Amino acid sequence: MSVATPDLSMPDLSRIPPETVDAADRTARFWTSKQPGPIKPGSEAHKRAMCDMFHETFNPYKPSVLAWPKLDPETRNKITSLPIWDIAVQTEGKARLRMAAYARQLMAIDPDMAKTIELNGWEENRHKEVLSRLVEVYEIPLDPEPPYVEPRDAEWAYMVTGYSECIDSFFAFGLFELAKRSGFFPAELVETFEPVIQEECRHILLFANWVAWHRANLPLHKRAWFELRVAAVYAFLGWERIGIARGIDDGKGKPQDNNFTVNGSKSVSNEDIKVLDLMRICLEENDRRFSGYDRRLLRPTTFPNLVRLALKLVPASRKTKSAAQPA
């Protein structure tokens, strides 16, 4: 079944004054639960904390009033030549539908969690509006959007979206910071995207805690099946990225790069950034963006831990290789 838009009855931003948005921008980055003591994953306190975090850090910015600066021809060409816009718009379209579908499935079982994931889907829809506004302002040509299809397995679709965002956002944090440091794009344009990037941090914080909460509340036999599904999601995402990379290499159609977040440093900086240096920036930014939220909430760990391990092992391996070479 094709669905044009999810049924999301969420906040009306039409009457929110600018000063409220300015105050909410800080609130969206710093939050501590009022609940005392430890928060055990899977507990009612854990669910309450993650839901409160997501609702209380909501940023009521309106895509229609975001400041899109006028660009000189060279900068505009940099923006329009990035191989990401079709995939970015379509990814947000899929995410909003998948989260709306999973929220509807949960509504009769757990209304609090359902409303939180519903808001997440609404924010994904707002990201799509932001991107749509950007491509309109800078006249970026897009292919027609495909029909968005209601997922048959809403939980699987939600997991695919959540884990994909965990991976992509980790690299996006670093690339966004690199763009700020390099001055490759105007500071005004980078600042316009800042609330969207921080919102992605909130999304994956919610997802990481949903995974832990959901896992802890499953009976043992269902937990084993859930772990198999998690492994299958990672395998699917890896295969998806390989497939897209092959599609780029075959020279057919417009080049789109879903792997931009791991190889796009040259598109946001004039400098030749080494992979390890980019990974350090990604790790620093990942830690910084999560630092303002209650430490008792769980963070995504898979890619940050893999990068930390790589940063420890790669220099050591290079030393060993250099020592083995004859003088």
Side-chain angles (χ1 to χ4, degrees):
M1 176 178 62
S2 298
V3 180
T5 55
D7 180 17
L8 294 173
S9 53
M10 286 283 106
D12 177 9
L13 307 183
S14 60
R15 299 182 179 180
I16 296 177
E19 57 269 22
T20 301
V21 176
D22 292 340
D25 187 64
R26 176 175 174 79
T27 303
R29 301 164 192 273
F30 300 94
W31 181 87
T32 301
S33 174
K34 299 179 180 64
Q35 297 184 73
I39 296 178
K40 182 181 177 182
S43 65
E44 185 65 25
H46 184 209
K47 184 184 76 170
R48 184 74 273 144
M50 73 172 105
C51 291
D52 287 347
M53 178 280 298
F54 204 77
H55 288 278
E56 292 174 11
T57 59
F58 174 73
N59 189 339
Y61 69 86
K62 292 179 282 188
S64 61
V65 298
L66 289 177
W68 299 105
K70 186 175 181 180
L71 304 178
D72 60 77
E74 181 182 358
T75 303
R76 184 182 174 278
N77 185 59
K78 291 175 185 176
I79 297 291
T80 58
S81 63
L82 293 176
I84 60 172
W85 300 118
D86 286 292
I87 283 181
V89 171
Q90 293 171 25
T91 296
E92 299 296 354
K94 292 176 184 176
R96 62 177 179 164
L97 179 60
R98 291 170 177 177
M99 292 184 181
Y102 188 52
R104 287 196 299 271
Q105 179 176 304
L106 285 180
M107 192 60 72
I109 305 168
D110 195 320
D112 289 336
M113 187 62 72
K115 290 175 182 176
T116 303
I117 294 175
E118 182 183 42
L119 178 58
N120 196 162
W122 185 92
E123 290 182 358
E124 299 288 1
N125 188 54
R126 182 166 60 175
H127 288 187
K128 188 174 185 294
E129 291 180 15
V130 170
L131 291 170
S132 298
R133 180 63 178 153
L134 179 144
V135 300
E136 176 188 346
V137 169
Y138 298 130
E139 300 178 335
I140 300 172
L142 294 183
D143 289 334
E145 291 183 58
Y148 296 111
V149 180
E150 184 85 17
R152 288 182 294 178
D153 186 337
E155 183 181 279
W156 166 265
Y158 176 60
M159 291 169 64
V160 167
T161 296
Y163 279 112
S164 181
E165 286 193 336
C166 287
I167 296 169
D168 293 340
S169 293
F170 176 79
F171 294 106
F173 295 157
L175 290 173
F176 189 75
E177 176 61 19
L178 187 59
K180 289 171 66 176
R181 295 182 188 181
S182 69
F184 199 64
F185 299 122
E188 298 87 352
L189 181 61
V190 173
E191 194 60 31
T192 296
F193 260 101
E194 173 57 38
V196 179
I197 299 296
Q198 189 62 33
E199 205 159 64
E200 288 293 350
C201 181
R202 290 172 55 256
H203 291 181
I204 60 179
L205 181 63
L206 172 64
F207 180 73
N209 283 273
W210 172 85
V211 170
W213 174 80
H214 185 65
R215 175 186 285 124
N217 283 284
L218 289 171
L220 195 58
H221 68 286
K222 289 187 177 181
R223 193 178 304 177
W225 174 243
F226 179 74
E227 298 303 341
L228 287 174
R229 281 166 71 86
V230 170
V233 167
Y234 274 113
F236 171 79
L237 292 175
W239 182 256
E240 181 183 60
R241 280 153 176 75
I242 291 170
I244 291 173
R246 286 176 178 169
I248 294 166
D249 293 338
D250 66 14
K252 297 177 182 178
K254 189 196 297 187
Q256 291 294 317
D257 191 352
N258 198 40
N259 295 300
F260 175 81
T261 49
V262 295
N263 59 27
S265 61
K266 291 182 180 179
S267 297
V268 296
S269 174
N270 287 316
E271 300 177 17
D272 183 16
I273 304 295
K274 303 297 184 184
V275 172
L276 289 182
D277 292 333
L278 177 60
M279 291 302 98
R280 289 188 183 94
I281 295 173
C282 290
L283 195 58
E284 290 167 3
E285 278 300 290
N286 183 77
D287 293 343
R288 182 184 71 82
R289 287 191 178 275
F290 282 113
S291 65
Y293 301 109
D294 197 314
R295 293 285 180 180
R296 294 172 293 176
L297 289 178
L298 304 173
R299 272 68 170 157
T301 58
T302 302
F303 263 79
N305 285 345
L306 286 174
V307 170
R308 287 189 179 94
L309 180 62
L311 291 175
K312 289 180 180 178
L313 294 181
V314 173
S317 66
R318 286 181 177 174
K319 277 186 183 180
T320 303
K321 184 177 181 180
S322 298
Q325 293 176 347

